[in-house]
Amino acid sequence: MNDVLFTVLDNALLARDVYRLRLQGDTGAIARPGQFVNLKVEGCFLRRPISVCDLEEDVLTLIYKVVGKGTATLSRLVKGETIRALTGLGNGYDCAPAGERPLLVGGGVGVPPLFLLAKELRAADKAVCVCLGFGAKEDAFYLREFRELGCEVRLATLDGSLGHKGFVTEILPERYDHFFACGPEPMLQAVCAVTRTSGQLSFEARMGCGFGACMGCSCQTLTGSKRICREGPVLRKEELLWTR
Amino acid sequence: MDALKVSLCGIPLDNPVIPASGTFGYGHEFAQWYDINCLGTFSFKGTTLSPRLGNPTPRIAECSAGMLNAVGLQNPGVHEVIREELPKLRSCFHKPVMANVSGFSVDEYVEACRLLAAEPQVGWLEINISCPNVHGGGMSFGTDPASAALVVEAVRKVTDKPLIVKLTPNVADIIPIARACEDAGADGISLINTLVGMRIDLKTRRPVLARQTGGYSGPGIFPVALRMVWQVAGAVHIPVVGMGGVSSAQDVIEMMLAGATAVQVGTANLVEPTICRDIIMDLPRVMERYGITSLSDIIGGAR
């Protein structure tokens, strides 16, 4: 964990209400894909937790959707401005159980953390299948980026304007060794229901501090109470109450 | 650094800055951000006799000048705290700690306090009779002088360690409650706990918090806290620990001028994990600016 002052490189609209923010600064505390940073947004009392999408030396990429006051303020940041962030928060995904054919399942603004994960899995020469679900064509992003990593990319949109019409759970491949997922909770629940392998799921929560102090984001699991910000945001499928 | 020293109920503090209960875990979470031995002490997470899972989520809501919480006293229970948390705490904090205790009956307070008071690292017991989150919980003790006295008297019998009673601001008149605690044998009063508040989500038209209401904390409550510290410090003869929205060295000094012997910093820790260290480092500069040579000299100085 580290408290870092970042400088904005760029902050551009990527899809409907979705922005990509690239920041320059010390990324040394970020150890795993699936971790997050907690941004100090001007005019907001609490910080805003955003998952790490990509990391290249001292450049951190975050993708976020404007859903309220904090993210709206964030979307107005311009090149050269600075922003403070607590970095290297949360446990992140564990690549060890990925097997040779890992499956990545992302929904909407849950897609970003899967990118750094895909990059690491591809660097380890895994055959990565990425299944992405969005509301519509206008909401979709990063398809090309995943393909450029050498991943097989499958796509579903709820309205059918791009790829399969329907849910992302309807386009999963037959064979895979382990899955990694991030997205809205109903999607995660559906992924758990249709997958037969072990897997890891990343959760979103309203957080107070983001580093384990306030107990604001606790959730119950089969292996006890977990703080989404500390023992999460990634939980193993096997420990979720849904699987009982 | 003698200029920062104060004494709280007979125990010397290197400085008056104390992270408040519920915002600092059991200490080790913050030892990853800085060496917490710079603190005067800290008040650890509110502990109950039995483990508690806490309230359903969302437990957190944001406000313009702070936040609401309805955590519901989630804690592993006093036995687990003594077995697991205190040994971890000992490895990163080498001063007496303030043990914060909550309960739902007089007997629970007594038993949890008795067990914690027997721990060598516990310097003070801070009895929370004010948590507004739990039905049938501390609220009833902290809003009535006779009930407050009942808890204090009972706990007094099982320990000679300093007893500090943490009061709720959610009362019509706090003075009779503070006096009742003093008369029942309390060594100090700490205040204020959170103010009951709520937020409603415009999209869902439902309360943001799963428990509808929660405790409001943060800079927005500072003037209310300061006023109540002022009132209580003028009404009792035991030390007062001031808290509520404190987030700077200036706030610390203001609280002390109102009558606080020591000052707790709560919600600010959640946003700026190193805030207490930063405040301690900033105090000499701010003291110099206002012509203060020793913090212990300014306690109640505004009166």
Side-chain angles (χ1 to χ4, degrees):
Chain A
M1 301 193 295
N2 208 349
D3 185 351
V4 181
L5 180 72
F6 286 99
T7 304
V8 175
L9 291 176
D10 49 52
N11 187 21
L13 190 70
L14 199 62
R16 182 162 55 187
D17 296 331
V18 175
Y19 289 77
R20 182 175 72 175
L21 174 64
R22 293 196 317 136
L23 300 169
Q24 189 159 40
D26 179 5
T27 59
I30 304 168
R32 280 172 149 194
Q35 287 189 308
F36 65 95
V37 301
N38 215 358
L39 299 170
K40 187 80 191 81
V41 179
E42 194 64 40
C44 294
F45 184 73
L46 294 174
R47 289 171 181 265
R48 294 299 188 267
I50 309 279
S51 63
V52 171
C53 171
D54 196 9
L55 205 55
E56 271 173 82
E57 293 180 12
D58 64 344
V59 178
L60 169 68
T61 302
L62 306 174
I63 292 178
Y64 59 94
K65 184 175 183 178
V66 173
V67 292
K69 189 180 99 176
T71 41
T73 305
L74 207 54
S75 73
R76 292 190 288 270
L77 276 180
V78 297
K79 181 178 162 64
E81 286 189 281
T82 56
I83 184 165
R84 290 177 54 222
L86 307 179
T87 63
L89 304 179
N91 59 350
Y93 291 110
D94 178 7
C95 290
E100 285 313 304
R101 283 166 309 181
L103 166 66
L104 277 53
V105 189
V109 83
V111 170
L114 298 179
F115 185 73
L116 185 59
L117 174 66
K119 207 169 162 181
E120 296 214 350
L121 293 170
R122 286 297 300 142
D125 221 25
K126 310 288 187 188
V128 180
C129 177
V130 184
C131 297
L132 304 178
F134 295 99
K137 186 181 173 186
E138 301 81 63
D139 303 311
F141 59 88
Y142 260 44
L143 309 177
R144 181 171 55 83
E145 283 79 354
F146 277 104
R147 286 196 183 105
E148 281 172 1
L149 291 177
C151 302
E152 178 197 348
V153 177
R154 301 181 178 202
L155 186 70
T157 53
L158 290 176
D159 70 352
S161 52
L162 194 65
H164 171 80
K165 182 178 189 307
F167 292 111
V168 71
T169 43
E170 292 157 9
I171 56 169
L172 304 186
E174 283 282 297
R175 299 173 62 195
Y176 49 89
D177 300 321
H178 184 80
F179 74 87
F180 301 88
C182 185
E185 222 165 284
M187 185 207 94
L188 296 181
Q189 215 158 348
V191 169
C192 270
V194 300
T195 49
R196 288 190 185 83
T197 67
S198 60
Q200 302 170 45
L201 304 94
S202 182
F203 287 80
E204 196 174 42
R206 266 179 197 269
M207 292 176 186
C209 63
F211 54 89
C214 73
M215 316 304 277
C217 62
S218 298
C219 77
Q220 300 309 316
T221 71
L222 296 174
T223 50
S225 180
K226 307 263 170 157
R227 295 165 292 186
I228 293 295
C229 72
R230 192 69 192 242
E231 287 83 34
V234 178
L235 300 177
R236 288 178 298 113
K237 176 185 173 185
E238 297 71 32
E239 58 189 342
L240 301 178
L241 295 177
W242 305 332
T243 58
R244 184 165 52 187
Chain B
M1 292 295 271
D2 279 4
L4 301 189
K5 284 193 169 142
V6 294
S7 175
L8 181 60
C9 308
I11 303 175
L13 298 178
D14 290 334
N15 60 69
V17 178
I18 305 173
S21 180
T23 65
F24 213 71
Y26 292 93
H28 50 88
E29 287 86 354
F30 283 82
Q32 297 168 32
W33 293 104
Y34 64 98
D35 180 1
I36 62 172
N37 287 291
C38 68
L39 301 168
T41 179
F42 73 92
S43 181
F44 66 52
K45 172 87 183 117
T47 298
T48 51
L49 183 60
S50 307
R52 289 180 54 83
L53 294 174
N55 288 332
T57 55
R59 297 173 173 184
I60 302 288
E62 192 176 41
C63 321
S64 51
M67 60 180 274
L68 301 176
N69 90 83
V71 169
L73 286 174
Q74 180 183 346
N75 80 95
V78 71
H79 296 283
E80 176 85 357
V81 166
I82 290 170
R83 198 169 52 239
E84 297 291 330
E85 299 295 341
L86 292 189
K88 272 195 271 181
L89 188 157
R90 270 193 290 280
S91 69
C92 61
F93 189 62
H94 312 304
K95 295 177 177 179
V97 73
M98 194 177 283
N100 185 286
V101 178
S102 274
F104 303 94
S105 68
V106 171
D107 290 348
E108 276 182 57
Y109 276 108
V110 167
E111 185 59 5
C113 286
R114 189 182 66 78
L115 292 166
L116 285 166
E119 292 298 311
Q121 199 172 4
V122 171
W124 308 257
L125 288 159
E126 184 180 52
I127 319 173
N128 173 17
I129 58 168
S130 51
C131 190
N133 289 335
V134 181
H135 290 308
M139 193 67 168
S140 54
F141 292 108
T143 52
D144 167 52
S147 308
L150 214 59
V151 179
V152 178
E153 269 166 23
V155 174
R156 181 75 286 168
K157 290 189 185 120
V158 296
T159 179
D160 294 325
K161 287 190 174 172
L163 280 188
I164 295 172
V165 186
K166 183 170 177 178
L167 300 185
T168 171
N170 303 303
V171 293
D173 186 0
I174 199 155
I175 291 173
I177 296 161
R179 284 189 174 140
C181 292
E182 181 180 26
D183 293 344
D187 300 295
I189 301 289
S190 63
L191 75 166
I192 58 172
N193 206 321
T194 56
L195 292 149
V196 180
M198 81 181 288
R199 295 298 308 270
I200 292 170
D201 187 322
L202 297 186
K203 286 179 199 155
T204 62
R205 302 186 186 184
R206 295 287 307 147
V208 174
L209 297 172
R211 288 292 294 257
Q212 285 91 52
T213 63
Y216 177 32
S217 63
I221 72 166
F222 180 76
V224 178
L226 191 77
R227 181 265 297 178
M228 293 184 118
V229 166
W230 169 269
Q231 283 182 299
V232 169
V236 298
H237 304 93
I238 49 178
V240 171
V241 179
M243 78 188 95
V246 174
S247 37
S248 68
Q250 287 84 348
D251 293 347
V252 169
I253 290 171
E254 212 174 322
M255 273 289 181
M256 294 185 80
L257 286 169
T261 295
V263 179
Q264 294 191 1
V265 179
T267 304
N269 290 299
L270 305 180
V271 180
E272 299 293 346
T274 62
I275 191 82
C276 286
R277 181 197 66 187
D278 301 345
I279 289 173
I280 293 162
M281 283 166 60
D282 201 27
L283 269 169
R285 182 188 67 82
V286 179
M287 286 165 65
E288 195 184 345
R289 176 159 178 210
Y290 294 103
I292 299 163
T293 50
S294 166
L295 283 182
S296 60
D297 293 345
I298 66 160
I299 297 165
R303 195 164 293 277

